[in-house]
Amino acid sequence: MEFQFYMPTRVITGEDCIRKNKDAFRALGTKAMIVTGARSAKANGSEKDVTEALKLADIEYVVFDKVMSNPTIACVYEGAAAARKAGADFVIAIGGGSPMDAGKAIALLAAQDISEDDLFKGQYENKILPMAFVPTTAGTGSEVTPYSILTNDKAQTKTSIATPLLFPALAFLDGRYTKDLGITTTINTAIDALSHGIEGMISVKANPVSDVLAKESIRQIRECFKALKEGSLTAAHREQLLYASMLAGVVIAHTGTTAVHSMGYSLTYFKDIDHGRANGLLLAEFMKFTAAGRPDVIESIITAMGYKKLEELEKDLEELLGAKEAITAEEISKYSSIAIKAKNIGNCPVVPEEKDLIKIYTESFGLSV
Ligand code: NAP
Ligand code: ZN
């Protein structure tokens, strides 16, 4: 057995974990830039808990709260310029995947000069501002991944900066911050985490440890399906989803994602479909495609989730996601031509061709061929 496992992020969980561990910020620097979205971190108490902890720890801070969903390249350059101007020496990102991913790019760009042309090329100096993350959605796992995914208008898709430099030093998981997350975003983000666990098991980069974590993550997410369908999540469900999402993040930190994510990016970029929902719409058909060449992998996923057949998972996903968006054959053809160029296509054990992507989109949206 030959594999490597690397997880440098210190994960701290539990109610009030930020204030209880306020001194952990001291190891990161003396002036923080808080990177967040416009509203939710103020409403759910996470930003206040961070600023109070910083005050108690005698650490200065500035706030950059301009991160939009699916952050743009312009947004992260603006954030990095603000961090330099303020003299911030570490970053605290609070929010869903968007502020966390923006926080990573800002921490990188504040520490070194990288032109837009070189942003996704992977050649970076060994310099970045240290980071602490507070996820307030339970889905992306960005708090434990080395990826920052940005809207890339030149390529008309979303593109990742991927480097181990992007692992945050600290992640604080407090389920209370996700308490008021609406049911639609809760479902979409839970399906994103599910997709990470499933794609992580399918990926050619899966290893024995990532498989253990993925199985536990997808099992826990399935346990929440009933409450997600009924909209009856308890605080315990919220904690469970946040935990499962972190586990799935550790999985994709090792395995990467697959064609599901590459294909989902077009649905987000062109049709404004939420990231997790986009993955969920494509997941079952991609699993059927993979099952033709690797039935063993798909069977172990289905078994770990407590199902007997893939069709049972497909039905649950349909119930959770509801009516599907309309899509045309022209759109499918365009999205397939973009997705086939993505790096994560190479992680698929049964490597799809462009015609296979067309078929997966077509079947996923119930279009007649
Ligand atoms: P998001 O774009 O971060 O947030 C979606 C919406 O939810 C925003 O309107 C946000 O409001 C709101 N929100 C966040 N937390 C909330 C809370 N606790 N209560 C109420 N509303 C809340 O969504 P996301 O699905 O978490 O992240 C998606 C992004 O993550 C995509 O860009 C995707 O590509 C990326 N992603 C990254 C990785 C990775 O490994 N780095 C993996 C998967 C996905 P505010 O704007 O006011 O905060
Ligand atoms: Zn994702």
Side-chain angles (χ1 to χ4, degrees), residues 8-279:
T9 306
R10 179 176 162 203
V11 177
I12 304 177
T13 71
E15 189 169 326
D16 213 15
C17 58
I18 294 177
R19 281 199 250 206
K20 284 180 187 160
N21 295 279
K22 62 182 186 321
D23 292 333
F25 288 121
R26 286 214 180 99
L28 304 190
T30 54
K31 184 165 188 180
M33 171 176 265
I34 296 174
V35 175
T36 189
R39 280 172 302 276
S40 68
K42 291 176 180 59
N44 62 37
S46 51
E47 189 174 322
K48 183 157 175 277
D49 284 355
V50 167
T51 54
E52 287 193 355
L54 292 175
K55 282 176 200 154
L56 289 170
D58 226 359
I59 295 172
E60 284 184 66
Y61 64 88
V62 289
V63 178
F64 179 77
D65 58 4
K66 295 187 189 167
V67 182
M68 67 296 281
S69 282
N70 305 302
T72 58
I73 293 173
C75 168
V76 298
Y77 275 96
E78 184 186 343
R84 285 183 186 208
K85 190 165 173 218
D89 57 6
F90 73 106
V91 165
I92 303 175
I94 311 172
S98 298
M100 290 194 284
D101 283 5
K104 289 174 181 173
I106 288 170
L108 186 70
L109 293 166
Q112 52 183 291
D113 294 318
I114 305 170
S115 73
E116 262 190 63
D117 283 346
D118 291 337
L119 189 55
F120 301 110
K121 289 195 180 148
Q123 304 296 319
Y124 313 112
E125 291 173 61
N126 193 23
K127 287 194 295 196
I128 189 163
L129 302 189
M131 295 171 279
F133 277 21
V134 183
T136 67
T137 62
T140 69
S142 179
E143 69 276 12
V144 288
T145 73
Y147 314 123
S148 164
I149 299 158
L150 302 175
T151 298
N152 181 353
D153 288 317
K154 270 189 201 150
Q156 291 198 312
T157 185
K158 301 187 69 182
T159 309
S160 308
I161 307 176
T163 158
L165 289 169
L166 296 185
F167 279 115
L170 290 172
F172 292 101
L173 271 58
D174 186 335
R176 291 176 310 159
Y177 304 138
T178 66
K179 185 169 63 62
D180 296 324
L181 191 63
I183 191 64
T184 305
T185 309
T186 305
I187 290 174
N188 290 345
T189 45
I191 301 288
D192 187 26
L194 178 74
S195 198
H196 296 161
I198 290 177
E199 290 177 70
M201 285 181 72
I202 291 174
S203 168
V204 293
K205 294 187 190 143
N207 69 48
V209 182
S210 68
D211 274 351
V212 168
L213 300 180
K215 282 181 187 167
E216 181 58 6
S217 174
I218 61 181
R219 184 187 72 76
Q220 299 238 12
I221 294 170
R222 175 157 188 223
E223 272 184 17
C224 298
F225 272 7
K226 186 166 177 286
L228 284 167
K229 285 183 198 171
E230 293 169 351
S232 60
L233 291 149
T234 61
H237 287 121
R238 295 279 183 190
E239 269 195 5
Q240 193 173 6
L241 288 173
L242 193 57
Y243 173 62
S245 155
M246 181 274 292
L247 291 181
V250 178
V251 171
I252 58 165
H254 293 86
T255 64
T257 55
T258 65
V260 174
H261 267 66
S262 336
M263 296 171 75
Y265 291 149
S266 280
L267 297 178
T268 301
Y269 187 85
F270 293 105
K271 296 183 85 68
D272 205 22
I273 297 177
D274 276 4
H275 172 70
R277 177 177 173 81
N279 295 330

Side-chain angles (χ1 to χ4, degrees), residues 155-158 259-273 278 281-282 325-342 344-345 353-362 364-365 367:
Q156 291 198 312
T157 185
K158 301 187 69 182
V260 174
H261 267 66
S262 336
M263 296 171 75
Y265 291 149
S266 280
L267 297 178
T268 301
Y269 187 85
F270 293 105
K271 296 183 85 68
D272 205 22
I273 297 177
L281 292 168
L282 301 163
E325 290 75 359
I327 191 167
T328 64
E330 290 70 34
E331 286 172 322
I332 287 179
S333 158
K334 177 175 176 181
Y335 303 168
S336 301
S337 70
I338 294 172
I340 198 70
K341 296 190 199 109
N344 37 8
I345 293 285
E353 295 176 22
E354 198 168 325
K355 68 173 173 33
D356 301 314
L357 302 188
I358 291 175
K359 183 156 186 279
I360 294 169
Y361 275 123
T362 305
S364 297
F365 284 87
L367 235 68

